[in-house]
Amino acid sequence: MTSATISTGLPLRRWILDLGAVAALTAVALVGFWPSFAGPSFLPAAIGGMLLGLGVAAVCAWRRWGILVITGLTIAGYFLFGGALALPFTTIAGFVPGLDTLQALAGGAVTSWKRLLTTVAPVSAADGHLLVPFIIGLVTAVLAASLALRLRRVWWALIPVASALLLVIALGVPDPAFPLVQGVVFAAVTVVWLSLRSWWVPQHSAVDTAEVDPTRAAHMRRRRLIGGVAVLAVAGIAGAGLGAAASPTEPRHVFRDAIVPPFNIHDYASPLQAFRKNVRDEVDKTLFTVIGLPEGARVRLAAMDDWNGVVYNVTDGGPGTSSAFTPLRSNMAADVEGPRESVRFVIGDYSGVWVPDTQVVSQITFEGQDADELRRGGYHNSATGTTVVTSGLQKGDTYTVEAVFPKTPTDEQLGDTPFAKMKLPALHDVPEDIGTVAAETVADAKTPIGQVRALERYLSTKGFFSHGLGSQAHLSRAGHTAERIATLMGGTQMIGDDEQYAVTMALMARQVGIPARVVMGYYPKKDSKSAGEFKATGDDVHAWVEVNFAGYGWLPFDPTPPEDQVPQDQNTKPKVDPKPQVLQPPPPPQEPVDLPPTVPDDRQPEDDTPNVLAIIGMILAVGGVSLLVLLILSSPFIVIGAWKASRRRARRNAARTADRISGGWDELTDRAIDYGARIPPGSTRVEEAATVSTALEIPAITALADRADGQVFGPAEPSAQEVDAFWKDVDSVVSGMGADAGFWKRVRARLNVRSLTGAGRIATRVQELKDAATARVRREPGNIEGKASAAPSGAAVPDDGPESETR
């Protein structure tokens, strides 16, 4: 061989070709995750896993290690390098795996697939989703490179990379990454790989053209190479042209299409829509009891930052926005500084999915019979301090909130502190007067806090308070639509309650560039003496505004006028039959007037059954892929075990009893070879026994070899009892080999294929075959020589079971 070789006997160019082709094809498959992560953030984990897999496959091929060692090294590499590549935020110093890293890797191997599919794309690399490309890159590279380096035909190595390409597509998003580039590169690398492997590793044939005509053979190889390049070029150009001309009219269907996200906040109406209902119908009801609420703290229900002209709600955004709810977990406020308190909630007449909690929630612990259901259906948004349980709270539910209560700074402490720079959703259908009034109101303010206080004072001093109940219904209507806010600002008097004033101040602040949002919740009256216990009723419901200051976060402001600041005409209105009004107010909506129309939703209702079936199908598909990977990894174990069991049955059940005796001896020597014995080709049974006895320290095996020779070459066929006794002794010797060896040595012996490939038995023992044939002729009925004495005990016969006669 003219080229450099590795110790395995493979030429160096073969190693470079196979490993390079596997790396290129695996990288092409992994690039499909680009749209799912909205960029290259997944590449370090994906490429790192691929390189790790190539290293494991190369080392195991170089050392000629079997499937057991390959599997062990793959798993070890996963846990050793998985933290640094896929979960760096769980490691020590960014690369040393800790206990949290190992736990996340162990669970992530099963759960990361579901998390990736149930998270709204694009997903974030910081949320643990990098495990999926890391696992696919690692497993694909190990399988493909191992098959390529160990097998003559490269087609087997294409199966893992093609499966990875399909799996990445199925786990991705409907919009493809680079379909044309992926297809052309995948096809090009495959064709070149197959061509070079066929050229460098030609198949055996009856006539070797190189020996007949070397010049002609070289010419034919050049023609094949040039032809392959030409076909590849034509295919690439044609594929590019067809791809540009026939762009798909519909996006492709992937697993994500069949999965319903576990929680969508927009499935639930904004709690602010039910504000007036709380005031009217629940004023005397104890909705819930709070024990341990610090003085001055407020109970929050929801924080909303998006307004579409009809209702104030959470925005429809991605991670970090008010709609990004995640399952409840512990220590949700690890980075927040401030006093920590434990507050207990006992639900009374309150019901709904919005969970009353406090300002900065660290952990929520549910109690009672429904605790597990509430915890499984609980979701929290740390950006807004809002918690939801999909099953809804009911009377008797109890939970404890571990929360942080940062100290609220004074105006003097804020000083010139600027507003926090953040992106909020654009507002729609804002009344025209809102921006003008807001600009005039903050014109004289010198500081950011001064601007907010100016807006707060404008509404609280010039407005009047009214819940619109009883005779006040025509003065203060429910709702916070654009029409209702325009009426509030454009009337002769501003009349409303928390619902209208909080929305108005938030809109005014947003119009002049102040980051503001609306919060709905409960808090006791200032003169309330609750002694650490707050019984919230409908009369305690409020809405306020929060503004975000740099370094301080969201701070509360109350633009609602005092409750005793009532409309001026409330006491002076004559108690006589009113005359026809000159200016009719806008016609009120039909009774009941408490709830404005729900936010229009363009999404069509979906039947739950197809969604459930789709989820089951997705789970089965992911499970099937996992089982397929496990089956591929364990297939060598199954094949080797089945092969050895089949050979044993054939030897044990041979047609002739003498063949069963020789088959028993072959079974014994095969197991000795698996345990490491080196039996020279062409040895007799006595010589084989001496070799095995020396290698494995089994003295009794020599007597067993003499016994086998005597029964095989004896004057008569061995009886069934003699066969059973011989096999029993063989099994006893084989069991002794395993008993003296350790666990891992026994496992390696079971998976050793040297005995199956004929190692040590390739050279036929021609003379022993002749002796065995002569002995059988002597045993034929009527043959006088059959009565002769048996062959010498030292004359062993190479009997390989049922096939020995054909040889």
Side-chain angles (χ1 to χ4, degrees):
M1 185 176 296
T2 58
S3 59
T5 60
I6 311 297
S7 61
T8 57
L10 294 178
L12 179 60
R13 63 181 183 181
R14 164 79 178 276
W15 282 78
I16 297 175
L17 172 64
D18 289 346
L19 294 178
V22 170
L25 293 177
T26 305
V28 168
L30 293 173
V31 166
F33 278 121
W34 193 285
S36 299
F37 289 85
S41 60
F42 71 98
L43 288 179
I47 301 302
M50 180 191 70
L51 295 178
L52 177 61
L54 292 176
V56 170
V59 171
C60 292
W62 170 50
R63 300 297 300 171
R64 299 181 182 272
W65 288 332
I67 185 64
L68 183 64
V69 179
I70 295 176
T71 304
L73 287 180
T74 302
I75 296 174
Y78 172 75
F79 283 99
L80 187 60
F81 297 97
L85 295 172
L87 301 172
F89 53 88
T90 65
T91 59
I92 302 172
F95 64 94
V96 179
L99 182 60
D100 292 341
T101 305
L102 299 179
Q103 291 177 345
L105 289 172
V110 178
T111 61
S112 59
W113 314 89
K114 175 186 174 182
R115 290 202 305 267
L116 177 67
L117 291 173
T118 55
T119 303
V120 177
V123 300
S124 174
D127 293 336
H129 298 299
L130 293 178
L131 266 181
V132 173
F134 174 73
I135 293 174
I136 294 178
L138 173 63
V139 175
T140 302
V142 168
L143 292 176
S146 297
L147 293 172
L149 292 173
R150 294 167 183 263
L151 300 180
R152 188 178 190 86
R153 297 186 180 275
V154 76
W155 292 102
W156 293 103
L158 292 176
I159 296 177
V161 291
S163 301
L165 178 63
L166 296 177
L167 182 60
V168 171
I169 293 175
L171 295 175
V173 295
D175 297 328
F178 313 100
L180 181 59
V181 176
Q182 281 183 287
V184 171
V185 174
F186 195 93
V189 173
T190 302
V191 171
V192 172
W193 192 16
L194 292 174
S195 300
L196 293 178
R197 280 290 298 268
S198 176
W199 190 12
W200 291 349
V201 189
Q203 302 298 320
H204 293 291
S205 59
V207 180
D208 191 343
T209 57
E211 295 180 0
V212 176
D213 190 350
T215 304
R216 182 181 178 186
H219 178 67
M220 293 176 62
R221 291 177 179 176
R222 283 195 297 271
R223 288 183 58 186
R224 287 200 301 267
L225 181 60
I226 296 173
V229 173
V231 170
L232 184 62
V234 172
I237 295 173
L242 291 175
S247 57
T249 57
E250 295 182 359
R252 62 188 178 186
H253 296 284
V254 295
F255 285 160
R256 190 181 299 273
D257 296 334
I259 298 175
V260 177
F263 176 74
N264 184 355
I265 191 60
H266 292 93
D267 291 338
Y268 308 97
S270 169
L272 197 59
Q273 293 178 274
F275 185 91
R276 191 65 62 88
K277 179 179 181 296
N278 278 258
V279 175
R280 185 193 65 194
D281 299 338
E282 299 172 345
V283 62
D284 296 325
K285 296 180 180 179
T286 300
L287 302 177
F288 53 85
T289 301
V290 187
I291 302 172
L293 186 68
E295 184 178 357
R298 305 184 180 194
V299 176
R300 301 165 65 87
L301 205 60
M304 298 148 283
D305 55 8
D306 188 23
W307 193 66
N308 59 1
V310 178
V311 63
Y312 233 105
N313 206 344
V314 297
T315 185
D316 190 6
T321 65
S322 59
S323 63
F325 284 76
T326 58
L328 291 176
R329 62 187 188 280
S330 59
N331 200 17
M332 293 184 290
D335 300 331
V336 181
E337 298 180 357
R340 294 178 179 262
E341 301 288 345
S342 179
V343 183
R344 183 179 176 86
F345 288 78
V346 180
I347 301 300
D349 292 325
Y350 175 83
S351 62
V353 299
W354 304 90
V355 178
D357 57 26
T358 55
Q359 187 167 359
V360 181
V361 176
S362 177
Q363 182 174 339
I364 298 180
T365 305
F366 291 98
E367 305 171 13
Q369 297 180 350
D370 299 334
D372 290 339
E373 181 181 1
L374 293 172
R375 184 179 63 255
R376 287 195 299 268
Y379 296 88
H380 182 75
N381 187 309
S382 299
T384 61
T386 304
T387 306
V388 174
V389 289
T390 55
S391 59
L393 294 174
Q394 299 177 357
K395 189 171 185 177
D397 289 336
T398 304
Y399 55 93
T400 301
V401 177
E402 304 292 338
V404 183
F405 294 89
K407 186 177 180 180
T408 302
T410 63
D411 291 2
E412 291 75 15
Q413 290 174 329
L414 286 173
D416 295 332
T417 302
F419 300 117
K421 295 181 180 180
M422 59 181 307
K423 184 178 181 181
L424 292 174
L427 304 178
H428 304 281
D429 299 329
V430 179
E432 296 180 359
D433 295 342
I434 291 289
T436 303
V437 175
E440 294 175 353
T441 304
V442 302
D444 297 331
K446 305 298 183 182
T447 61
I449 183 61
Q451 296 179 3
V452 179
R453 291 300 183 191
L455 296 175
E456 182 185 43
R457 270 193 313 272
Y458 175 84
L459 295 174
S460 62
T461 57
K462 294 190 176 183
F464 297 94
F465 182 88
S466 174
H467 280 314
L469 303 179
S471 60
Q472 303 177 17
H474 68 288
L475 298 176
S476 178
R477 293 183 290 112
H480 52 278
T481 64
E483 180 273 331
R484 178 67 181 91
I485 301 303
T487 302
L488 176 77
M489 297 294 293
T492 56
Q493 298 181 90
M494 288 192 298
I495 304 175
D497 56 12
D498 300 55
E499 178 184 5
Q500 290 80 42
Y501 285 109
V503 171
T504 302
M505 179 179 172
L507 294 177
M508 295 175 68
R510 292 289 306 280
Q511 292 299 101
V512 293
I514 299 175
R517 66 188 184 189
V518 176
V519 182
M520 179 178 169
Y522 300 80
Y523 55 82
K525 294 178 174 57
K526 293 181 179 180
D527 57 353
S528 174
K529 297 181 180 180
S530 57
E533 183 175 286
F534 169 43
K535 295 182 180 295
T537 67
D539 192 40
D540 297 314
V541 64
H542 294 280
W544 60 90
V545 175
E546 287 185 343
V547 175
N548 199 344
F549 286 86
Y552 290 94
W554 295 94
L555 302 180
F557 297 89
D558 297 296
T560 305
E563 293 189 8
D564 57 357
Q565 193 168 308
V566 296
Q568 295 177 356
D569 64 343
Q570 179 171 327
N571 296 328
T572 59
K573 184 176 179 181
K575 298 182 180 181
V576 295
D577 294 334
K579 296 181 180 180
Q581 297 179 356
V582 178
L583 295 175
Q584 291 289 345
Q590 285 187 333
E591 294 293 338
V593 297
D594 303 302
L595 297 178
T598 306
V599 181
D601 195 347
D602 296 333
R603 295 172 293 184
Q604 296 296 327
E606 298 179 355
D607 186 10
D608 290 336
T609 301
N611 292 334
V612 173
L613 294 177
I615 294 175
I616 295 175
M618 183 278 300
I619 295 174
L620 292 177
V622 174
V625 172
S626 302
L627 290 177
L628 178 61
V629 173
L630 293 176
L631 181 61
I632 293 175
L633 291 175
S634 61
S635 58
F637 298 88
I638 301 173
V639 172
I640 293 172
W643 193 354
K644 290 185 178 181
S646 176
R647 290 186 60 171
R648 176 185 169 86
R649 285 194 301 270
R651 290 166 173 171
R652 186 66 177 85
N653 300 321
R656 302 176 63 90
T657 55
D659 291 337
R660 298 176 192 174
I661 295 294
S662 61
W665 178 258
D666 289 339
E667 186 70 20
L668 188 152
T669 54
D670 281 352
R671 300 293 75 78
I673 290 172
D674 290 339
Y675 276 101
R678 302 282 183 173
I679 300 179
S683 302
T684 64
R685 287 194 182 91
V686 174
E687 293 170 345
E688 289 178 347
T691 301
V692 173
S693 178
T694 303
L696 302 180
E697 299 181 359
I698 308 176
I701 196 173
T702 303
L704 199 60
D706 293 337
R707 181 175 162 190
D709 283 342
Q711 292 177 345
V712 170
F713 297 108
E717 287 284 337
S719 64
Q721 292 77 10
E722 291 176 329
V723 172
D724 292 340
F726 185 82
W727 272 91
K728 183 177 180 180
D729 292 341
V730 168
D731 291 338
S732 177
V733 172
V734 172
S735 299
M737 296 180 190
D740 296 337
F743 172 77
W744 292 110
K745 189 172 182 180
R746 288 197 300 271
V747 173
R748 287 196 298 270
R750 292 179 183 274
L751 300 177
N752 200 329
V753 296
R754 292 185 66 248
S755 61
L756 297 176
T757 58
R761 300 180 186 275
I762 297 176
T764 59
R765 294 170 289 185
V766 178
Q767 185 58 43
E768 293 191 40
L769 286 174
K770 292 180 179 180
D771 294 342
T774 302
R776 288 170 184 162
V777 171
R778 290 174 179 174
R779 287 196 291 261
E780 292 295 332
N783 194 330
I784 298 176
E785 296 182 3
K787 300 179 182 179
S789 60
S793 60
V797 59
D799 198 329
D800 290 318
E803 299 179 356
S804 60
E805 291 188 80
T806 60
R807 289 191 279 176

